[in-house]
Amino acid sequence: MTMSILNNGVHDFWQRLQILPRISLLRNTTLLQPLRRLSEMLQAEIWCKRDDLISFGLGGNKIRGLEILIADALRQNADILVTGAGVQSNHVRATAMTARHMGLDCQTVFWGSAPKCVDGNYRISRMLASSVVFTENPERSSVDSEITRQCKKLLRQGRKPYPIPRGGACALGALGHALAAEELYLQCLKQNIIPKTIVMATGSGGTHAGWLLGTKMLGNPWRIVSYTVSREVEEVCVQISRLVNEAAKLLDQELIVGEDEVIVYGGFIGDGYGIPSVEAASAIRLLASCEGILLDPTYTGKAMAGMMEKIHIGSGFNYPLVFIHSGGEPSFFAGDGKWLSI
Ligand SMILES: *Cc1c(COP(=O)(O)O)cnc(C)c1O
């Protein structure tokens, strides 16, 4: 980047990020489009960055982190990626697709026990995984120790496993999302838009962390806010600030972001992670019918519901606003769809 507003340290950050090994899975800048009817309805200028249209592996934000993680795995001569989460995880599906694309195996770990129906993301992960393990424990964190255990087992078998934490939430993966912030910045210059607020959904926090780091390194052109869909606000803010600081350190940057600088809103998890809420269902119906854009029930539907509510009650945001459509549509097709009440 050649922008005079950037000081030397910041230049150094983008240069180091550019030369970090990365496998190009995206190929292109994702679409940034106005949501005309929604903007009219809400009386606020709203745009959408369509990371759901990343074509590789059925897309979504996880592909951005994986571009860097898979390059690191290949550099370490790994022959199998090991990751996990819930059965409808976009992250696990995207990781399995990435592994196979690069000729590697993939082992998956899911919390709980095997569901009867092999649908949505699970259908893809199940088809691609060389082995599928269930923790038989409903705690989501049970996945973490099982990933470690499976890696040790694979090492004993002479394999070269590369573990990727739940959600791909690690410092290296977050750097892929810092690049997304730069991509949006350059795209906005081209399209003559000066967004003031970026809204996204937060699960494990790696995406928000990367966007926040990138935003800082761009000189804070906008505010990043997110809606948590799984953890408590306080917990996720700690996680995000930790990831920002670790990611900055990977590129030798002296940057400390406190958890009080991280803006995460709660109140839209509903009955729990991965359980569709009434508000998300109505946000999904609205976006599909007024814009022809499909959101997902686990992440983007809940974040959109939160964003619309905040605009409705009048406290609102600074505009223009860009909503990051981080993908996740395969989970729309899981289950009987009764939650949509159509
Ligand atoms: C994983 C995911 C998110 C959240 O990303 P994190 O880095 O886990 O916070 C948002 N939207 C979709 C569709 C996702 O799959």
Side-chain angles (χ1 to χ4, degrees):
M1 291 180 78
T2 49
M3 274 179 285
S4 53
I5 54 156
L6 303 180
N7 65 35
N8 286 339
V10 166
H11 257 307
D12 181 60
F13 172 84
W14 291 110
Q15 265 161 17
R16 282 172 191 251
L17 191 48
Q18 267 326 318
I19 59 172
L20 194 71
R22 176 156 54 103
I23 300 286
S24 175
L25 300 170
L26 267 92
R27 311 256 166 224
N28 292 311
T29 296
T30 60
L31 188 65
L32 173 65
Q33 68 179 114
L35 301 182
R36 293 215 166 82
R37 281 156 301 273
L38 187 75
S39 297
E40 178 125 326
M41 198 180 301
L42 297 172
Q43 290 295 300
E45 188 180 341
I46 300 167
W47 293 70
C48 186
K49 179 141 176 82
R50 302 289 307 274
D51 276 8
D52 60 315
L53 297 182
I54 291 172
S55 58
F56 177 81
L58 287 186
N61 59 337
K62 300 305 182 305
I63 306 296
R64 293 191 181 270
L66 284 164
E67 285 197 331
I68 293 177
L69 293 173
I70 187 67
D72 190 48
L74 293 172
R75 208 173 44 86
Q76 294 186 26
N77 285 317
D79 59 8
I80 182 166
L81 303 185
V82 182
T83 198
V87 286
Q88 285 306 330
S89 166
N90 298 305
H91 161 69
V92 172
R93 175 257 307 160
T95 301
M97 294 285 251
T98 304
R100 295 310 188 180
H101 181 61
M102 298 311 296
L104 272 57
D105 284 338
C106 181
Q107 173 148 0
T108 62
V109 175
F110 296 116
W111 70 69
S113 43
K116 287 196 192 77
C117 193
V118 183
D119 58 3
N121 280 308
Y122 181 47
R123 185 175 295 173
I124 303 173
S125 303
R126 176 107 223 172
M127 173 177 72
L128 295 180
S130 36
S131 144
V132 177
V133 174
F134 284 87
T135 65
E136 303 299 338
N137 180 338
E139 286 291 323
R140 277 178 270 156
S141 59
S142 64
V143 163
D144 306 347
S145 52
E146 189 59 30
I147 289 176
T148 309
R149 222 172 64 87
Q150 291 298 327
C151 284
K152 282 188 186 143
K153 194 166 136 191
L154 287 162
L155 277 172
R156 283 198 301 275
Q157 293 166 358
R159 301 293 305 267
K160 294 194 182 103
Y162 184 87
I164 300 179
R166 262 190 302 153
C170 54
L172 197 57
L175 291 174
H177 302 289
L179 281 167
E182 184 197 36
E183 177 183 306
L184 178 64
Y185 188 80
L186 297 174
Q187 184 171 32
C188 285
L189 286 181
K190 263 202 196 135
Q191 291 184 221
N192 254 318
I193 308 155
I194 305 179
K196 300 277 173 40
T197 311
I198 312 295
V199 176
M200 63 187 67
T202 283
S204 56
T207 305
H208 187 140
W211 275 88
L212 183 55
L213 175 59
T215 296
K216 291 232 157 220
M217 291 300 166
L218 288 165
N220 290 314
W222 50 55
R223 237 163 117 97
I224 303 281
V225 311
S226 72
Y227 285 87
T228 179
V229 302
S230 92
R231 300 166 207 226
E232 295 294 329
V233 169
E234 296 73 29
E235 184 192 343
V236 83
C237 286
V238 170
Q239 162 99 336
I240 290 169
S241 73
R242 179 179 64 79
L243 286 169
V244 173
N245 297 334
E246 283 178 15
K249 213 164 173 192
L250 280 182
L251 297 188
D252 290 325
Q253 303 299 307
E254 288 188 29
L255 175 90
I256 302 292
V257 170
E259 54 202 77
D260 52 335
E261 288 180 67
V262 181
I263 309 168
V264 177
Y265 298 119
F268 288 86
I269 300 176
D271 286 339
Y273 171 75
I275 304 171
S277 65
V278 174
E279 293 84 359
S282 85
I284 290 171
R285 282 198 304 268
L286 180 68
L287 258 286
S289 52
C290 81
E291 299 288 348
I293 293 175
L294 183 63
L295 300 175
D296 81 293
T298 303
Y299 294 96
T300 53
K302 288 180 178 177
M304 180 57 78
M307 185 197 89
M308 291 197 305
E309 165 82 9
K310 192 165 158 64
I311 296 174
H312 247 323
I313 60 174
S315 58
F317 299 96
N318 291 322
Y319 305 101
L321 175 157
V322 176
F323 181 86
I324 308 298
H325 189 338
S326 43
E329 290 95 327
S331 68
F332 179 86
F333 301 103
D336 60 15
K338 283 206 180 93
W339 53 272
L340 261 179
S341 48
I342 40 174

